[in-house]
Amino acid sequence: MTAVSEKPVRPPRAEPREVVELKQIKATQPELASAVDMQVALVDMQRRVQGRVPLPWIQPDPAWVATQQQAGRPLVRFQDIPLEWSDFHLTFRQTADILLRHEALERADYDAIVAMGRDGDALQPIVSQWYASSSGGDATGSPRTPPGAPASLEQVLVLALRPFLSRCAEALAQRVDLSSWSHGHCPFCGWEPDFAVITPNAERRLICGRCSGQWAFPALACPFCTNDDRALITSFATRDGRYRVSACDVCKRYLKAYDGRNATRPVMVSVDSIATLPLDAAAIQRGYQ
Ligand SMILES: [Zn+2]
Ligand SMILES: [Zn+2]
């Protein structure tokens, strides 16, 4: 019998699976260490924010959903996003801090971006204009960000909005039938896919680079330019078969995928996008962007 006076030892708080997996990558591929460190910081920050964001109550009218889908328009309108502005300001600032600290943002760009966030009322119209002009499902032609703003502003906006916007995709995915959606852009927010997963029954699901929503898309078509001539789609895999690249010989863009057919865990974009950085290099070397 052990002594009864001993205080129960609380086990250390378990790290999220994504962080465990990311650290594993760092151990086996030290050349990816700096990318891993930045991703761990982003994952950690986004999890904390997401924990504070309520699951929005979005109950769209089925007729309106059908109209939007037929027109190729996404389902989340800006006003649907559960944005708490003081929390968004904080998230925006912390995102910029992480990117600067890991040298993913130039100091001058950082200063300009942080200044936008500091001016209490400036950020709100910038974010809503950016969302409106990038969620139409087609290029509206209007500039997405204010004139003179650094190009890297978009990257900060994508990352800072994600914890809020992903809650909308989560809520809608349970309520809306996406089976008729055949577009390459996201049915929830209208952004582009930046990763994909191949399901055990060999279907490809695209994953939005902004809201993390998923939707089915033919495995042998290009989501960026709708090329579906399979002779003009080049595909290659990592040696272990875990990841694939599908590249379009018409528009020269490519998309990486996690092959879930023999996988031991589900796709984790924050992990898999880092694990596949060497594949990006391989795709770029072959002339894809
Ligand atoms: Zn999306
Ligand atoms: Zn294409």
Side-chain angles (χ1 to χ4, degrees), residues 128-249:
S128 61
Q129 159 66 21
W130 170 72
Y131 187 82
S133 62
S134 59
S135 67
D138 52 7
T140 52
S142 60
R144 291 176 173 187
T145 53
S152 46
L153 172 63
E154 270 211 313
Q155 187 192 3
V156 177
L157 288 172
V158 165
L159 292 169
L161 195 62
R162 181 172 299 155
F164 304 91
L165 189 57
S166 63
R167 296 295 263 163
C168 298
E170 215 180 303
L172 279 168
Q174 299 164 6
R175 298 175 191 278
V176 173
D177 175 16
L178 295 172
S179 55
S180 67
W181 185 264
S182 58
H183 299 278
H185 58 268
C186 174
F188 303 106
C189 81
W191 197 254
E192 292 185 335
D194 80 343
F195 213 81
V197 57
I198 300 164
T199 65
N201 44 4
E203 280 168 3
R204 181 168 66 160
R205 293 179 66 76
L206 307 184
I207 303 172
C208 176
R210 181 161 65 178
C211 76
S212 308
Q214 290 191 14
W215 68 103
F217 194 80
L220 292 166
C222 171
F224 303 111
C225 77
T226 71
N227 159 37
D228 61 357
D229 179 351
R230 56 181 62 197
L232 293 172
I233 300 282
T234 300
S235 175
F236 53 97
T238 50
R239 208 166 295 158
D240 60 7
R242 203 169 201 203
Y243 299 107
R244 294 198 76 81
V245 167
S246 163
C248 174
D249 294 312

Side-chain angles (χ1 to χ4, degrees), residues 252-280:
K252 293 285 172 188
R253 296 191 63 183
Y254 71 93
L255 191 65
K256 301 182 290 186
Y258 178 73
D259 194 335
R261 282 174 290 188
N262 295 301
T264 50
R265 62 152 172 87
V267 62
M268 289 185 214
V269 178
S270 59
V271 176
D272 295 315
S273 58
I274 300 298
T276 50
L277 287 173
L279 268 184
D280 289 298

